């Protein structure tokens, strides 16, 4: 009997020693990124958070990410002209896990997003189409019966709203040719922006061919204003942006009093993230279908193969190791990047900062679909780097 008790005590002591060893040394290995937490909690299965008022914040480890890898990224930024990166925001599972700004920028500072604006206009167009005030096959010039235009042709008369969305109008607009300053000439013209753009000739052979065209998105915005009887800013806020908490958004107004649907909208990085989060959830927000689900799907459909990327309705699309990802992009380094499979949103604002590849630092920082054990030392260093101006 006594021998049995000794054996039982020995087994208990051995069990306590092994579990203590694993807890102590296993934790150290998790913190080093060598192994992952084996929690039964699956983060993507938790109730969805809706940041209408505020974005919740979290440590990277609480969202299955490794602070040490993010430290590597921020140290790289510090070594490569960090002032050119105005803002960086990383969101996983609806929680901000990393956020950094360089002076004078901060979380409430509206930033010029340039052509990210086009993706906003795409969303607004989806609402207008759903409400029946627009149709993809509508002829563009029918919305401007009070105006006359130069260089008329059958192709111009039959130009459609969908051609504007696809950037396939065939209009002579060599915006991406460095030797041609069509965009600057357009901006500085004494004509109204609308008149100047629609006066341009259409090259018959280029109808149906993709050509980057900020003017197309501008005209689409003007059509939405005429069809709705509201400014693009008013209509967009009422139908979408106010409903998801994008309070900072403001469209730029041109010399003819029309909101610019192609560029220059301003908003904070957190509001940029709200827009990405809306599309991550197929246009749905806190139980309401804000943008029609079918329109989101159609907007993110690869209508045009551009080689390294595809193009939808004013969105860029990629297929990678982590499945489908999509982005809204603006000049000089403005990005909304969404990776649905990873519940990941990355926002960048800046001025010609070398774009961070999410596959170099951010995606490799994702270690698990469950929370990791805390890495206090790495997180302290990460906070230090994020707070540095």
């Amino acid at each position: 009997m006594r021998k049995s008790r000794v054996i039982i005590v020995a087994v208990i002591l051995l069990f306590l020693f092994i579990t203590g060893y694993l807890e102590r040394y296993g934790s150290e290995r998790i913190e080093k990124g060598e192994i992952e937490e084996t929690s039964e909690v699956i983060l993507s299965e938790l109730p969805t958070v809706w940041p209408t008022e505020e974005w919740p914040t979290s440590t990277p480890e609480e969202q299955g990410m490794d602070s040490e890898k993010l430290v590597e990224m921020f140290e790289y930024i510090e070594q490569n002209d960090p002032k050119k990166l105005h803002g960086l925001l990383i969101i996983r599972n609806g929680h901000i896990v990393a956020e950094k700004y360089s002076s004078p920028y901060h979380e409430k500072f509206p930033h010029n997003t340039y052509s990210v604006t086009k993706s906003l206009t795409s969303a607004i167009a989806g609402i207008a189409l759903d409400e029946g005030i627009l149709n993809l096959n509508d002829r563009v010039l029918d919305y401007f019966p009070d105006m006359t235009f130069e260089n008329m042709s059958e192709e111009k008369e039959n130009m459609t709203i969908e051609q504007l969305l696809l950037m396939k109008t065939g209009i002579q607009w060599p915006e991406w040719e460095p030797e041609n300053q069509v965009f600057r000439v357009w901006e500085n013209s004494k004509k109204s922006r609308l008149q100047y753009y629609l006066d341009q000739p259409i090259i018959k052979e280029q109808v149906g061919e993709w050509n980057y065209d900020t003017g197309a998105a501008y005209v689409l915005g003007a059509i939405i204003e005429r069809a709705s009887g509201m400014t693009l800013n008013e209509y967009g806020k009422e139908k979408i942006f106010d409903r998801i908490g994008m309070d900072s958004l403001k469209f730029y107004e041109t010399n003819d009093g029309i909101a610019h649907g192609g560029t220059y909208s301003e908003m904070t990085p957190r509001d940029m993230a709200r827009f990405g989060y809306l599309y991550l959830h197929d246009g749905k927000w806190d139980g309401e279908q804000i943008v029609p689900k079918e329109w989101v799907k159609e907007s993110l459909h690869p209508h045009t193969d551009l080689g390294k990327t595809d193009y939808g309705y004013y969105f860029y699309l990629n297929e990678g190791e982590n499945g489908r990802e999509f982005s809204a992009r603006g000049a000089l380094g403005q990005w909304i990047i969404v990776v649905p499979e990873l519940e990941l949103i990355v926002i960048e604002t800046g001025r010609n900062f070398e774009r961070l590849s999410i596959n170099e630092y951010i995606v490799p920082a994702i270690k698990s679909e469950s929370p990791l054990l805390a890495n206090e030392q790495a997180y302290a260093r990460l906070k230090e780097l994020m707070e540095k101006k």
Side-chain angles (χ1 to χ4, degrees):
M1 187 71 170
R2 185 175 179 180
K3 186 176 181 181
S4 297
R5 288 178 180 174
V6 170
I7 292 172
I8 291 170
V9 170
V11 169
I12 291 172
L13 289 173
L14 180 61
F15 174 79
L16 291 174
F17 173 80
I18 291 171
T19 54
Y21 177 91
L22 290 175
E23 182 178 355
R24 180 157 61 96
Y25 291 99
S27 297
E28 289 178 3
R29 291 187 65 208
I30 289 171
E31 291 173 1
K32 291 177 181 177
E34 295 174 4
I35 60 173
E36 298 174 358
E37 172 60 64
T38 56
S39 167
E40 294 180 359
V41 174
I42 304 299
L43 293 163
S44 60
E45 295 178 358
L46 295 176
T48 303
V49 299
W50 298 107
T52 311
E53 300 296 331
E54 294 290 341
W55 279 100
T57 59
S58 167
T59 67
E61 279 70 24
E62 287 167 346
Q63 301 305 320
M65 297 183 73
D66 178 15
S67 288
E68 286 188 4
K69 193 65 181 177
L70 296 180
V71 165
E72 287 181 28
M73 178 184 68
F74 282 108
E75 287 177 340
Y76 171 83
I77 292 170
E78 284 301 311
Q79 297 164 10
N80 289 273
D81 207 352
K83 292 293 184 181
K84 287 185 176 181
L85 182 64
H86 299 165
L88 176 62
L89 188 58
I90 302 172
I91 292 168
R92 187 162 197 239
N93 301 311
H95 292 72
I96 294 175
V97 299
E99 185 173 28
K100 179 180 174 61
Y101 300 97
S102 60
S103 182
Y105 302 96
H106 50 79
E107 66 182 62
K108 295 184 179 180
F109 193 114
H111 198 284
N112 189 341
T113 67
Y114 296 97
S115 287
V116 168
T117 308
K118 293 178 176 68
S119 302
L120 306 181
T121 300
S122 174
I124 299 171
I127 298 291
L129 288 159
D130 187 60
E131 293 187 339
I133 61 174
L134 296 184
N135 187 289
L136 286 177
N137 295 320
D138 286 349
R139 297 193 307 179
V140 169
L141 298 191
D142 288 349
Y143 284 89
F144 309 106
D146 54 324
M147 299 177 70
T148 58
F149 303 104
E150 299 173 7
N151 298 301
M152 288 302 299
S153 64
E154 182 181 348
E155 290 75 27
K156 184 178 284 191
E157 287 179 358
N158 293 320
M159 181 169 52
T160 67
I161 285 177
E162 185 169 34
Q163 286 178 325
L164 295 177
L165 278 160
L166 293 171
M167 294 190 179
K168 294 182 177 181
T169 63
I171 209 156
Q172 188 171 322
W173 198 259
E175 189 170 330
W176 275 3
E177 292 181 10
E179 68 279 4
N180 195 309
Q181 295 297 310
V182 63
F183 185 83
R184 294 300 170 208
V185 172
W186 180 45
E187 284 197 317
N188 296 326
S189 173
K190 292 181 180 180
K191 285 185 179 181
S192 78
R193 300 281 178 90
L194 186 64
Q195 184 75 52
Y196 184 92
Y197 179 84
L198 290 174
D199 275 347
Q200 302 308 303
I202 283 184
I203 302 171
K204 184 177 180 179
E205 295 74 24
Q206 292 184 8
V207 175
E209 297 294 320
W210 188 86
N211 175 60
Y212 191 79
D213 186 350
T214 296
Y218 173 75
V219 173
L220 179 57
I223 289 173
I224 293 170
E225 291 198 345
R226 290 212 171 193
S228 68
M230 303 168 70
T231 68
L232 194 64
N233 205 51
E234 292 168 344
Y235 188 69
K237 281 181 171 291
E238 178 184 303
K239 302 298 181 179
I240 305 174
F241 308 121
D242 282 350
R243 298 169 69 184
I244 66 173
M246 289 177 63
D247 300 331
S248 68
L249 173 62
K250 185 176 181 181
F251 284 84
Y252 171 75
E253 190 175 292
T254 62
N255 62 354
D256 42 9
I258 298 172
H260 205 315
T263 189
Y264 297 142
S265 68
E266 294 185 349
M267 61 185 133
T268 63
R270 289 190 176 200
D271 276 351
M272 293 169 71
R274 285 184 172 92
F275 183 69
Y277 200 62
L278 176 67
Y279 268 63
L280 172 64
H281 291 281
D282 298 320
K284 197 170 186 177
W285 192 275
D286 200 7
E288 290 188 82
Q289 194 69 46
I290 305 295
V291 178
K293 183 175 181 178
E294 283 304 309
W295 180 252
V296 173
K297 182 180 178 181
E298 193 64 23
S299 300
L300 302 180
H301 178 76
H303 292 283
T304 306
D305 182 353
L306 301 180
K308 292 183 179 180
T309 187
D310 294 322
Y311 201 69
Y313 288 154
Y314 299 161
F315 285 90
Y316 292 88
L317 318 164
N318 293 88
E319 286 288 338
E321 294 180 4
N322 305 296
R324 176 179 60 94
E325 63 182 64
F326 59 89
S327 60
R329 306 179 186 180
L332 306 180
Q334 325 314 315
W335 292 83
I336 300 174
I337 303 168
V338 182
V339 188
E341 288 295 318
L342 300 178
E343 292 287 329
L344 177 70
I345 298 173
V346 180
I347 307 298
E348 286 185 39
T349 59
R351 190 166 185 85
N352 290 323
F353 184 82
E354 175 191 354
R355 185 205 164 199
L356 291 167
S357 169
I358 64 169
N359 293 318
E360 188 170 353
Y361 295 106
I362 298 172
V363 170
I366 297 174
K367 301 295 185 183
S368 176
E369 294 305 308
S370 300
L372 304 177
L373 291 187
N375 187 341
E376 294 180 4
Q377 183 177 355
Y379 185 59
R381 174 59 177 155
L382 180 61
K383 286 179 65 178
E384 178 187 350
L385 290 164
M386 290 192 296
E387 292 167 2
K388 189 174 181 180
K389 297 294 185 180

